[in-house]
Structures are given as C-alpha cells and as structure tokens.
Amino acid sequence: MIDKKKAVVSVIIGTLCGLAAAAVVLMIFAFITVKMQTVNDAVFLPVVIAAACIGAFCGGYISARINRNAGLVTGAASAVLIFAVILCISAALGAIPQAAAALRLAAMVISGAIGGILGVNKKRKKRKFNLS
C-alpha cells in the first residue's frame, strides 16, 4: 500500500532536485555557448528539451528512491510538476506555450517514469558494521 504523505513528500523533493539538475544542465550549455561565441538558433530547442528530460529523469529517480515503491507513478508525477513549474516560469516571462510544449511534456513524463522505475529497482547497499 502506498503511504500518501510519503509519496507526496518524495515527489516534491524529487521535483526540487529535478529542477536543480535541469538548471545545472542549462548553465553548462550557457557556458559552452559563451565559449563558442557562435551558435545556431536551431540548437536551443533540443537542448532545452534535453535539459528538461535530464531534470525529469533525476527528479523521478530521486522521488522513487525516497518513496521506495510506485516508481512509475512518483517519477511521472515529479516530471509533470517539473513541467508545470517550467511552464509557469515561461508564462511569467511572457513566453507563449507552443507545440513544442506538448513534445516536452511527453518526453519529460517518459523520462521521469523511466527514472522512477530505475530508482525503485536499484539495489540498496547492505552496510556491514565491523566493531572489531
């Protein structure tokens, strides 16, 4: 049985970690862009989608590791929350959602679900304490 409070907390923590991971990926891309000095505009959309998917994967993985069950659900929920936060920030900055938003949502939900499945199925280390 799924503990709802633990699931909600794990999804929120996973969402925050996923947003941080996406921000780090975007900062790395921005650094590379500054160093290259010339970048084609067609590169930006795939990089933004990739950063969002990496963030969704990390968020799904972390939320599933915390929750320890229902990895598919917690991973997908974390990805949807990350998408909602990114969409709200974009709208606040004046960007109009386009057809790419649906593609980003689908890719993020799949990435988050895969991260959740992998997070639940990862074996835990058995800690051996040697007192001698």
Side-chain angles (χ1 to χ4, degrees):
M1 192 73 184
I2 299 174
D3 182 17
K4 291 181 183 180
K5 183 177 180 183
K6 186 176 181 181
V8 169
V9 170
S10 69
V11 168
I12 291 171
I13 292 172
T15 300
L16 294 175
C17 292
L19 287 169
V24 167
V25 171
L26 287 174
M27 282 188 252
I28 291 169
F29 177 69
F31 179 76
I32 292 170
T33 304
V34 168
K35 291 296 180 185
M36 288 178 55
Q37 295 179 350
T38 56
V39 177
N40 190 358
D41 289 343
V43 175
F44 290 117
L45 181 63
V47 169
V48 169
I49 291 175
C53 288
I54 290 170
F57 179 84
C58 292
Y61 183 84
I62 290 170
S63 66
R65 291 289 288 170
I66 293 170
N67 196 27
R68 295 187 184 171
N69 59 8
L72 182 72
V73 174
T74 56
S78 179
V80 168
L81 277 177
I82 292 169
F83 175 77
V85 169
I86 291 172
L87 191 67
C88 289
I89 291 171
S90 298
L93 295 175
I96 300 170
Q98 299 173 351
L103 173 67
R104 188 181 312 147
L105 175 62
M108 288 176 68
V109 168
I110 291 169
S111 298
I114 291 171
I117 291 169
L118 293 177
V120 166
N121 290 330
K122 180 160 175 23
K123 301 284 187 208
R124 297 208 178 258
K125 290 183 182 179
K126 289 190 177 184
R127 301 189 193 264
K128 295 181 183 179
F129 294 103
N130 190 357
L131 297 175
S132 46

